[in-house]
Amino acid sequence: MAELNTGDSGGKKGSKKVRSKKQNSKVDLTAMVDLAFLLITFFMLTTSLSKPQSMDLGLPDKEDDPNKDKPVKVDENRTMTILLGDNNQMKYYMGLLATPKIAPKEVAYGKEGIRKVLLKEKDEVIKYTGTKNKGLIVIIKPSNKSNYRNLVDILDEMAIVDVPTYAIVNDYSPEEKKLIGVGADAPAAAETAAP
């Protein structure tokens, strides 16, 4: 609150000198400080902190049920397999490797590489099935020579292109090992499925 202090001029009643009264002003900032702390507290409590961005992955159950180990049949015309190798190497093919719809091709990461291929094949599958409900199925096979960044990059591409079904698989056929240049050692990635 502002407070105005006016002091007496100190003159006597009978004196002929008339002095003008000086006004001393003093501002009390106590209320302003209280208001500042109230505002800081209010904004601290009502502000939502930024949440870390993460990708949701549907992980398989840890139960070992022998009935669940039956192979699932999928339409080979809807299936794309992406092989990840060392030195940022990536190859893909459509269908089965023995009789591929699209022969294995090497492709780069990014907008002009795998994203362009995924968008094209996603549209082809929609034309093939006639519905958006049965879309592209992508099988991602990282080798033990591929790095973690490559896997994260391809998962980001799945989210960008909005591929409905994809899985990370850790088993390579001998032909795929030759194709990607992986030796006899097994891939290190764990099996994971997307929702």
Side-chain angles (χ1 to χ4, degrees), residues 15-181:
S15 71
K16 292 186 178 182
K17 279 187 172 177
V18 177
R19 289 185 167 180
S20 64
K21 293 183 178 182
K22 294 184 180 176
Q23 296 179 350
N24 295 331
S25 61
K26 177 178 139 187
V27 178
D28 185 15
L29 295 177
T30 307
M32 190 71 89
V33 172
D34 288 344
L35 179 66
F37 280 114
L38 284 172
L39 287 173
I40 289 172
T41 306
F42 172 76
F43 286 117
M44 281 176 44
L45 295 175
T46 58
T47 302
S48 62
L49 300 174
S50 64
K51 297 178 182 177
Q53 295 180 349
S54 63
M55 180 179 292
D56 292 329
L57 289 177
L59 302 175
D61 292 334
K62 293 186 178 184
E63 298 176 12
D64 293 331
D65 188 3
N67 296 331
K68 289 186 179 180
D69 290 340
K70 295 177 184 175
V72 178
K73 299 250 182 185
V74 293
D75 187 1
E76 61 190 51
N77 293 321
R78 293 175 45 210
T79 306
M80 174 189 273
T81 304
I82 299 176
L83 306 171
L84 304 177
D86 61 342
N87 296 327
N88 298 328
Q89 180 187 21
M90 177 173 39
K91 292 187 179 182
Y92 76 95
Y93 63 90
M94 285 291 292
L96 299 175
L97 188 57
T99 57
K101 180 180 168 187
I102 296 179
K105 294 180 183 177
E106 190 159 345
V107 67
Y109 290 91
K111 183 178 181 180
E112 293 300 319
I114 189 65
R115 188 179 311 167
K116 195 173 186 179
V117 172
L118 285 169
L119 288 169
K120 179 184 172 219
E121 293 305 321
K122 184 178 173 186
D123 290 341
E124 291 292 324
V125 168
I126 290 173
K127 287 178 190 174
Y128 167 74
T129 60
T131 179
K132 289 186 179 183
N133 294 339
K134 293 185 178 183
L136 181 65
I137 300 169
V138 178
I139 300 171
I140 304 167
K141 293 186 176 185
S143 70
N144 61 340
K145 293 184 179 181
S146 64
N147 58 30
Y148 186 71
R149 180 180 178 198
N150 292 345
L151 183 61
V152 170
D153 287 344
I154 199 66
L155 289 175
D156 285 343
E157 294 297 336
M158 296 296 126
I160 291 169
V161 176
D162 195 27
V163 173
T165 308
Y166 58 90
I168 302 171
V169 181
N170 65 351
D171 60 337
Y172 271 71
S173 68
E175 295 86 13
E176 289 173 334
K177 286 181 183 180
K178 283 183 189 176
L179 185 65
I180 202 72

